[in-house]
């Protein structure tokens, strides 16, 4: 039974955590601009390590929390967290962000150990919170999503206490990409078919062949495992390129061209296309040392992950606050900005555009996208449903 005690912004998991993800994205990028400009440091940390950490375990973790806490309720019929529990979860996430300001603290001291625990604790607690209703309801189909969150939690711990920060960061990136493929692969064709049906067109044109979906997801997992184990680069490249081909074939069946007139749908297709581009760039970079790895990493982080996060946050906010699935006027700029940010940063990494101008352009567009999201959707997330 729903417990409605508490403010509107704590009534559903997506509300506090989508707000947190958007605000963190803005602050995170503003601080990064300060660092790369040489105007300030980050409590003694390595800037690239901090950048990687806060992208994956700050921004992405908040968005994953908002999605899973909401989706699990719909999958199982059981609300994972009431308002008070959501407030504690949000506080734990925020404490981790504060703790991340002190990365140089010695974990052998009481203070250092406490900061480390605060930073690591959020994802394991989230995994348990979403696992309980999934297990109780027998909704075993979605245990994979729970396992991915648990995997992120384990990698986060290793990131801090292990010896391979870069390896753990890339493994976390791979796990998030798998989550993008799982969730994007479910919702993009389904929402596309629903929209075609509502607009009087043939929804059967959208196809989701199991023969393609079955190997496409394991191909991502094999690639992640191969990279983590340090298998020969040629094998890693072939796995990445094979995965790109499988996901491209899968994506091509979703009637993407029919979705271009609906920005809420188009951005889902674009996000998935960035996943494909990421895999292709990764494979090519492993085969050709002239192609920098940073190109596929930013195609992944800005293109596939941030684009899909904005797409899901916008759609879920509209749908779960009782509003029509229609973007407010001008809100398409949010999606255009993140797409252009991904293009600019990737082309800069490939030396097609000058490095520094493309970096500044990408950062500015990122700020525009997430500031725009907060401006357009912030009030919806803070206030009661419109149909109540």
């Amino acid at each position: 039974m729903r417990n409605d005690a508490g403010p509107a912004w704590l009534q559903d998991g997506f509300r506090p955590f989508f707000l947190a993800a958007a605000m963190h994205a803005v602050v995170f990028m503003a601080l990064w601009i300060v660092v790369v400009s040489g105007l300030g440091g980050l409590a003694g940390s390595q800037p690239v390590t901090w950048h990687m950490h806060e992208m994956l375990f700050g921004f992405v973790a908040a968005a994953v929390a908002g999605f899973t806490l909401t989706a699990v309720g719909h999958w199982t019929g059981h609300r994972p967290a009431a308002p008070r529990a959501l407030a504690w979860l949000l506080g734990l996430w925020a404490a981790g962000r504060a703790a991340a300001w002190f990365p140089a603290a010695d974990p052998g001291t009481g203070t250092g150990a406490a900061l480390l625990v605060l930073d690591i604790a959020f994802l394991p607690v989230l995994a348990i919170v979403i696992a309980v209703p999934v297990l109780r309801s027998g909704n075993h189909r979605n245990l994979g999503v729970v396992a991915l969150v648990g995997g992120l939690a384990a990698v986060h711990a290793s990131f801090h206490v292990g010896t391979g920060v870069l390896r753990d960061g890339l493994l976390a990136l791979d796990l998030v990409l798998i989550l993008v493929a799982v969730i994007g692969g479910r919702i993009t064709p389904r929402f596309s078919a629903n929209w075609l049906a509502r607009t009087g067109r043939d929804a059967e044109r959208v196809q989701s062949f199991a023969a393609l979906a079955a190997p496409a997801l394991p191909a991502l997992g094999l690639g992640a495992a191969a990279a983590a184990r340090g298998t020969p680069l040629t094998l890693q490249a072939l796995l990445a390129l094979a995965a790109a081909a499988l996901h491209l074939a899968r994506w091509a069946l979703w009637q993407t061209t029919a979705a271009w007139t609906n920005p809420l749908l188009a951005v889902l297709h674009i996000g998935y296309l960035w996943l494909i581009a990421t895999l292709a760039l990764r494979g090519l970079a492993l085969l050709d040392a002239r192609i920098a790895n940073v190109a596929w990493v930013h195609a992944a982080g800005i293109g596939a992950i941030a684009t899909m996060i904005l797409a899901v946050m916008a759609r879920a906010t509209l749908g779960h606050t009782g509003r029509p699935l229609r973007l407010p006027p001008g809100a398409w700029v949010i999606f255009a900005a993140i797409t252009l940010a991904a293009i600019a940063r990737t082309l800069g990494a490939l030396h097609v555009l000058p490095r520094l101008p493309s970096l500044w352009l990408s950062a500015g567009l990122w700020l525009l996208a997430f500031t725009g999201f907060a401006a357009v959707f912030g009030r919806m997330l803070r206030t009661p449903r419109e149909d109540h």
Side-chain angles (χ1 to χ4, degrees):
M1 183 175 178
R2 186 180 178 91
N3 176 8
D4 289 321
W9 67 276
L10 285 175
Q11 289 302 304
D12 304 278
F14 71 92
R15 291 175 178 271
F17 283 104
F18 286 178
L19 281 168
M23 290 188 291
H24 184 275
V26 173
V27 174
F28 157 78
M29 188 56 66
L31 288 172
W32 184 237
I33 291 171
V34 170
V35 171
V36 296
S37 302
L39 300 176
L42 292 164
S45 70
Q46 291 293 327
V48 173
T49 300
W50 176 87
H51 183 74
M52 183 191 307
H53 179 273
E54 285 305 294
M55 174 71 176
L56 292 166
F57 304 117
F59 164 64
V60 171
V64 167
F67 173 80
T68 55
L69 288 166
T70 305
V72 163
H74 289 271
W75 294 339
T76 66
H78 301 285
R79 193 181 192 186
R84 182 174 294 181
L86 280 177
W88 278 104
L89 270 174
L90 181 65
L92 189 57
W93 175 86
R97 308 289 52 77
W101 278 100
F102 305 97
D106 183 358
T109 66
T111 301
L115 291 170
L116 192 65
V117 169
L118 277 177
D119 190 25
I120 292 174
F122 174 71
L123 282 169
V125 172
L126 175 64
I128 292 168
V129 168
I130 63 174
V132 169
V134 170
L135 290 170
R136 281 181 177 172
S137 66
N139 188 265
H140 296 150
R141 177 174 182 256
N142 291 302
L143 282 174
V145 173
V146 177
L148 285 170
V149 176
L152 272 176
V155 174
H156 189 198
S158 179
F159 186 96
H160 281 294
V161 302
T163 57
V165 169
L166 179 59
R167 178 202 62 204
D168 290 332
L170 292 178
L171 180 55
L173 186 63
D174 278 328
L175 291 175
V176 177
L177 288 173
I178 293 171
L179 192 57
V180 166
V182 170
I183 302 304
R186 286 186 191 180
I187 66 176
T188 306
R190 184 170 80 245
F191 291 165
S192 298
N194 291 345
W195 181 69
L196 287 174
R198 285 198 305 271
T199 54
R201 285 176 278 183
D202 182 12
E204 297 299 322
R205 293 164 56 194
V206 179
Q207 299 292 322
S208 294
F209 290 150
L212 280 177
L217 293 176
L220 281 176
L222 284 173
R229 291 178 61 85
T231 57
L233 298 185
T234 301
L235 176 58
Q236 292 184 45
L238 291 175
L239 286 170
L241 293 173
L246 287 166
H247 284 276
L248 178 61
R250 189 185 188 198
W251 176 81
L253 297 172
W254 296 342
Q255 297 301 312
T256 299
T257 55
W260 290 136
T261 57
N262 183 334
L264 274 175
L265 270 182
V267 70
L268 288 170
H269 289 265
I270 292 169
Y272 208 92
L273 183 60
W274 272 110
L275 169 67
I276 297 161
T278 293
L279 293 168
L281 279 171
R282 186 177 194 169
L284 293 173
L286 288 165
L287 293 174
D288 187 345
R290 292 172 297 179
I291 300 175
N293 281 320
V294 72
W296 75 259
V297 168
H298 284 96
I302 306 174
I305 296 170
T307 301
M308 195 63 78
I309 283 173
L310 278 170
V312 171
M313 291 200 309
R315 190 179 189 94
T317 298
L318 291 170
H320 291 300
T321 61
R323 290 170 170 82
L325 291 175
R326 185 171 59 251
L327 276 180
W332 59 269
V333 171
I334 296 167
F335 301 147
I338 199 64
T339 301
L340 291 173
I343 292 171
R345 190 66 184 90
T346 303
L347 292 181
L350 292 171
H351 307 295
V352 175
L353 295 177
R355 178 183 172 275
L356 282 178
S358 64
L359 190 153
W360 297 125
L361 176 61
S362 179
L365 289 164
W366 171 285
L367 287 172
L368 175 61
F370 284 98
T371 302
F373 177 87
V376 173
F377 294 96
R379 181 180 173 278
M380 302 180 198
L381 291 166
R382 296 191 307 269
T383 55
R385 288 180 61 100
E386 284 219 331
D387 53 359
H388 279 186

